[in-house]
Amino acid sequence: MKKIFMYIWSLWEFIFAKLNRIHTVGGDDSEIRIAIKKYKGEKLLLNDGTVLNNGDKFGELHLNNNALTQITSSSSSPIAVGIIALKRFKKSIKALKTYIDEHHEFDDVNVFMGYTLFNEGVEMLGFEVRDIKSPLEKFIVTHYEMLLLAIFHPDGFKRLQDNKFTSKMVLITRNTINSRY
């Protein structure tokens, strides 16, 4: 039954990615996918001084659920999974740097952001972590991502039982990517 859900969801993600021009960065097994969007919200000032204003383009980051399934299935130890994930995400951010340098539609994109349940420790990669301001948006994103985790994680809904997950906004600037990667 779980494999059927995974197949259906993967098919939906493929269609959604095509409709929303979401591109995989660094190959099909990369953890990061990206799309260009227009920011709608209050002005954001990031730690390095980069500003994201309403109407500015930004890179919308998406996680590749199939790649995450490979990572979470690689070990039963949460510490080992964390180390593997950190290494693979670092490699994916290097691929992101190459991708945005080679694709000129990203020339005026200075901020890359996404929402994720997996927000602990991403500061080590150069990301800033912020709360999702809208309670409704936070509720919807958190529960949507918990559903994805239940579908794609090897432990399924058991993974959700003892954890209090909250999605957060993660952001990284082009300046940070260029200076660190």
Side-chain angles (χ1 to χ4, degrees):
M1 184 69 149
K2 183 173 180 162
K3 287 189 180 197
I4 293 170
F5 278 126
M6 288 176 69
Y7 175 78
I8 292 169
W9 197 269
S10 295
L11 183 61
W12 159 246
E13 280 190 335
F14 175 79
I15 294 167
F16 182 82
K18 291 294 182 196
L19 293 174
N20 288 282
R21 298 186 177 134
I22 300 170
H23 304 278
T24 301
V25 174
D28 290 338
D29 64 339
S30 175
E31 289 72 26
I32 296 176
R33 300 183 309 150
I34 190 166
I36 296 176
K37 299 289 182 182
K38 287 219 181 227
Y39 177 68
K40 295 177 181 128
E42 295 177 17
K43 176 174 137 179
L44 289 177
L45 176 62
L46 285 89
N47 292 341
D48 69 358
T50 301
V51 176
L52 184 64
N53 291 302
N54 191 31
D56 287 351
K57 288 182 185 178
F58 73 97
E60 183 180 70
L61 299 175
H62 295 264
L63 295 177
N64 179 342
N65 291 312
N66 292 325
L68 290 177
T69 300
Q70 291 175 358
I71 292 171
T72 57
S73 301
S74 62
S75 175
S76 59
S77 164
I79 294 170
V81 168
I83 291 168
I84 293 165
L86 191 62
K87 287 180 182 178
R88 286 189 58 176
F89 276 103
K90 192 171 186 178
K91 182 179 172 188
S92 289
I93 295 170
K94 288 178 183 178
L96 174 63
K97 180 185 183 319
T98 301
Y99 189 88
I100 62 177
D101 286 346
E102 292 174 353
H103 292 81
H104 294 292
E105 64 266 31
F106 289 93
D107 286 351
D108 56 349
V109 173
N110 294 310
V111 176
F112 302 86
M113 88 172 124
Y115 296 132
T116 184
L117 294 172
F118 305 112
N119 49 59
E120 292 191 24
V122 297
E123 293 93 342
M124 293 186 298
L125 298 171
F127 284 90
E128 296 178 34
V129 178
R130 304 216 178 152
D131 287 330
I132 300 170
K133 289 187 178 181
S134 163
L136 178 61
E137 187 175 15
K138 182 178 184 174
F139 177 84
I140 291 169
V141 170
T142 297
H143 286 82
Y144 166 76
E145 291 185 344
M146 286 173 64
L147 175 63
L148 287 179
L149 183 60
I151 291 170
F152 284 94
H153 194 279
D155 292 337
F157 283 98
K158 289 183 211 170
R159 176 72 173 97
L160 303 176
Q161 290 174 350
D162 298 327
N163 295 292
K164 295 222 176 218
F165 289 104
T166 302
S167 289
K168 301 262 185 175
M169 180 189 310
V170 294
L171 307 104
I172 192 167
T173 66
R174 178 184 290 272
N175 291 337
T176 299
I177 292 170
N178 286 336
S179 66
R180 291 182 71 143
Y181 300 95

